[in-house]
Amino acid sequence: RGPTNDGRRKPEIYSPGCSIRSASASSSCSSTSLTGTSMAAPSIAGSAALVRQYYTEGFYPSGAANPSDAFIPSGALMKATLLNSTVDMTGISGYPSNREGWGRVLLHNTLVFDDDTRNLIIRDVRNNSNEALNTGDSFEMTFDVNSLFEPLKITLVWHDPPGAVNANPAYVNDLNLTLIGPTGEFKGNVFSNGISATGGTYDFRNNVEMIYFPATAAGEYTLRVDAAAVNVGAQGYAIVISGDVSESNPCTADWNGDGVLDFFDVLAFLDDFSNANPAADLNSDGELNFFDVLSFLDQFSAGCP
């Protein structure tokens, strides 16, 4: 049970580990029932493997496997996806807390497939990319909530650089998450009765920040990530948004939808172009030709808003 010595929330995620039956090491053909983190951790590892497979097989953003959408997720994106799927545990007071963290992992809350009414929006920015943040920088995007019938959850994760040996506090870089929408302005990790609340102060300790509503007003929302203090390097990050959501101004050149313009987008577009995917007809003339390639390269060079 947390917190850490410098006040960070631990644990961060929860998985069943009580009376779990698994293979036994005592023989080549038997099982045993055990309790503890040795039984809980494998289910989280398996969930992480499924998250990685979801992205590397191109299930994002359509919900169906599409090789042209495949990309390798960062560790921060995998962690953000896992945490975004969590649910509050019954019988444990307070949420989030230092007993359950952000709750029990339930992947279907976040991973979207082609028969779902929910949607998924991600951003995956690595430390060595041009989009990584330095102190004073910010990232901003808009998205639409289309109805109030689905929960809205937003998760920001970054990998904090290691602190000095025996440092207390040991946290190094600090990013802040803000959401502005029809019902007000909300800061990451400011909760009341398990739901995001207005007011409060930004969390300067934890490298996971979350905003959650079981239901919220339809309309346009603005999400902002501010680099309050980046003391080491440039800070990458991952964002996961789940709910009945859609991007207000999607960037066409971000062909695989990972929030970063890179060579993988070029490969994804050329793959769709080669396979005669109608989506590659960027000039909408009913033909796939060199002008579509030029249109894509122009948009790629111009960058995303």
Side-chain angles (χ1 to χ4, degrees), residues 64-148:
N66 183 352
S68 66
D69 290 328
F71 69 97
I72 298 174
S74 69
L77 177 58
M78 291 175 60
K79 181 177 178 179
T81 305
L82 286 168
L83 289 170
N84 193 266
S85 78
T86 53
V87 294
D88 187 10
M89 300 285 291
T90 59
I92 299 177
S93 61
Y95 181 81
S97 75
N98 286 310
R99 289 188 64 194
E100 64 170 317
W102 292 102
R104 178 187 173 187
V105 64
L106 197 60
L107 287 182
H108 191 62
N109 282 349
T110 295
L111 298 185
V112 172
F113 296 94
D114 53 7
D115 59 347
D116 281 322
T117 58
R118 296 171 295 110
N119 200 6
L120 179 65
I121 300 172
I122 67 167
R123 292 292 184 269
D124 193 14
V125 177
R126 297 175 186 264
N127 290 353
N128 62 354
S129 74
N130 293 332
E131 290 84 7
L133 302 177
N134 293 290
T135 300
D137 290 344
S138 63
F139 164 79
E140 187 172 290
M141 63 177 290
T142 59
F143 65 92
D144 295 318
V145 172
N146 302 309
S147 74
L148 53 76

Side-chain angles (χ1 to χ4, degrees), residues 251-253 261 266 269 282 290-304:
C251 177
T252 301
L261 291 185
V266 179
F269 171 78
L282 293 183
F290 186 62
F291 294 106
D292 297 302
V293 178
L294 287 179
S295 178
F296 172 79
L297 293 176
D298 284 344
Q299 294 182 56
F300 184 87
S301 298
C304 289

